[in-house]
DNA sequence: GCATAGTTCAAACGGTCATTTGAACTGGAG
DNA sequence: CTCCAGTTCAAATGACCGTTTGAACTATGC
């Protein structure tokens, strides 16, 4: 097989995902990242321009396939009969959690990274996540509103935010030392449990 | 009335709540805190010993009344008939959100601080929160298990973690510039919306 | 008055931070 | 071989970090 040469740029992004997901943006130094990536400190500013630009590139790379899959599922759903809330919830949650299942340790690192960034203490960092998922958000909200005609727009937005929060919570706990704390020994069942939980809340817990 | 003299120690705790809740632990410097508190930098180490000890003291002070109220409600519930899931959820969620309602801006600062600390990127910081709410956690889990006999212990733990996460999410959004994003224009209804959401999820969304 | 314990202060400590610099290296094109 | 754009490198820059120091101030008890 061909030599899987990792460029300095790729190594920096990989390590950034791991370290930023572990210690957060402010809690992780460029020096720690470059040492782990076997790169020179100046390489970050050469390839990306700044620490925040490195984070931005890492967020974009990590979220691209997840959001692409969400878009694909949403397209598919909108092509057929009006989707149920469950179908919409699956289309959002499953791409975010299949990372852990389908791509092993590396996927778990990515999942944790995404989950942490989504609720970073700094507003500027959180907005990196928001910007990345903004294009798909309005489509989701509209589809949810159609699937839940009895719920007010405020209620739909409330449910969406809770879905976002719980997904980020369980993503951020990927690789955590106490996986049992996620409420399931088998990580493969996590997505099912979360979907069941959210579907019940959406179907019975949004005020009209 | 008597002079409401704020001691340096109190001013440091107040500003720490505000700044740590705004920028996170790593993202907030002692200098920023002491300047805003009109105190000398050395005052932190004099009164608390270190930056982390200041945070620990702030966490303890902020969570004490919330957990005391939770304990009180739990005592009351356990004195009567076996409580419903809804009663237990209310006993946990409402003390955490009434901060915002009953104590105005100051309470919102405290709520945001608690919500942010609960899911700080650093494990060491999160454990400060965990240690503080640990004594009450096992009682809650046991009561929840009794109220949901058909649910497995894993499912109960899963539901509890989701409740914790959603509460922290909405607490951390207190004082956020887009309060409408919380799904309700009236913050007074937030607790009701969250309880309704969680009750539905607990009653219909935990696998047996 | 004086001593004393509690508190505050400016200043400095060593260390780490993100970023910049300019030289050295690399590999392919002409 | 020469050139050159792309990349890597050690070193330095200035700023900021948490913490420490020892002197100065304050208020209370004698």
């Amino acid at each position: 097989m061909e030599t899987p040469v990792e460029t300095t740029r790729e190594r920096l992004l990989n390590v950034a995902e791991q370290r930023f997901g572990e210690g957060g943006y402010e809690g992780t130094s460029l020096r720690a990242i470059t040492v782990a990536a076997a790169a020179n400190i100046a390489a970050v500013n050469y390839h990306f321009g700044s620490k925040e630009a490195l984070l931005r590139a890492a967020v974009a790379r990590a979220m691209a396939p997840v959001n692409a899959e969400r878009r694909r599922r949403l397209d598919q759903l909108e092509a057929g009969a009006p989707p149920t809330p469950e179908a919409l919830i699956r289309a959002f949650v499953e791409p975010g959690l299949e990372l852990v299942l389908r791509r092993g340790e590396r996927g778990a690192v990515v999942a944790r990274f995404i989950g942490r960034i989504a609720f970073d203490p700094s507003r500027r960092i959180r907005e990196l996540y928001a910007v990345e998922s903004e294009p798909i958000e309005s489509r989701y909200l509209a589809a949810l509103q159609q699937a839940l005609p009895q719920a007010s727009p405020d209620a739909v937005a409330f449910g969406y935010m809770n879905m976002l929060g719980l997904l980020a919570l369980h993503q951020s706990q990927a690789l955590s030392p106490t996986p049992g704390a996620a409420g399931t020994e088998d990580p493969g069942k996590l997505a099912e449990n979360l979907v069941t939980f959210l579907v019940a809340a959406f179907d019975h817990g949004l005020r009209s």
Side-chain angles (χ1 to χ4, degrees), chain A:
Chain A
M1 44 186 182
E2 52 190 279
T3 44
V5 177
E6 258 184 346
T7 67
T8 298
R9 195 188 143 89
E10 286 165 342
R11 270 180 290 127
L12 284 173
L13 286 172
N14 291 343
V15 174
E17 269 173 354
Q18 190 227 314
R19 296 300 173 102
F20 282 149
E22 192 175 322
Y25 178 75
E26 297 282 2
T28 303
S29 72
L30 283 186
R31 280 172 169 82
I33 292 175
T34 51
V35 165
N40 190 275
I41 319 176
V44 170
N45 287 290
Y46 174 75
H47 286 285
F48 302 97
S50 69
K51 183 186 181 183
E52 185 168 329
L54 166 63
L55 174 68
R56 184 163 30 243
V59 169
R61 194 189 70 161
M63 294 193 60
V66 175
N67 276 337
E69 172 68 6
R70 283 177 181 153
R71 223 179 325 262
R72 198 188 63 78
R73 294 208 196 189
L74 201 48
D75 289 341
Q76 185 176 319
L77 285 177
E78 286 183 341
T84 62
E86 169 164 356
L88 287 169
I89 290 169
R90 283 191 185 279
F92 192 89
V93 167
E94 285 176 351
L97 287 179
E98 275 174 356
L99 272 180
V100 189
L101 298 179
R102 294 232 216 282
R103 295 203 253 164
E105 177 105 351
R106 194 84 258 283
V109 168
V110 177
R112 182 183 61 183
F113 172 64
I114 293 178
R116 283 280 163 75
I117 292 305
F119 289 95
D120 189 274
S122 160
R123 178 180 317 155
R124 217 170 67 264
I125 306 304
R126 263 175 285 141
E127 273 170 6
L128 293 187
Y129 175 91
V131 163
E132 210 64 38
S133 47
E134 184 179 281
I136 221 174
E137 184 172 304
S138 52
R139 276 186 73 189
Y140 254 95
L141 283 172
L144 271 178
Q145 183 69 77
Q146 276 205 319
L148 297 159
Q150 80 286 3
S152 71
D154 272 2
V156 168
F158 181 72
Y160 177 78
M161 153 154 294
N162 288 344
M163 177 174 70
L164 219 75
L166 286 185
L167 176 58
L169 168 63
H170 292 289
Q171 281 180 321
S172 74
Q173 299 222 332
L175 291 172
S176 107
T178 56
T184 170
E185 298 304 322
D186 180 3
K189 290 187 180 130
L190 174 56
E192 278 313 306
N193 289 342
L194 182 55
V195 167
T196 303
F197 190 90
L198 285 170
V199 168
F202 271 74
D203 282 347
H204 306 98
L206 293 185
R207 56 178 51 230
S208 50

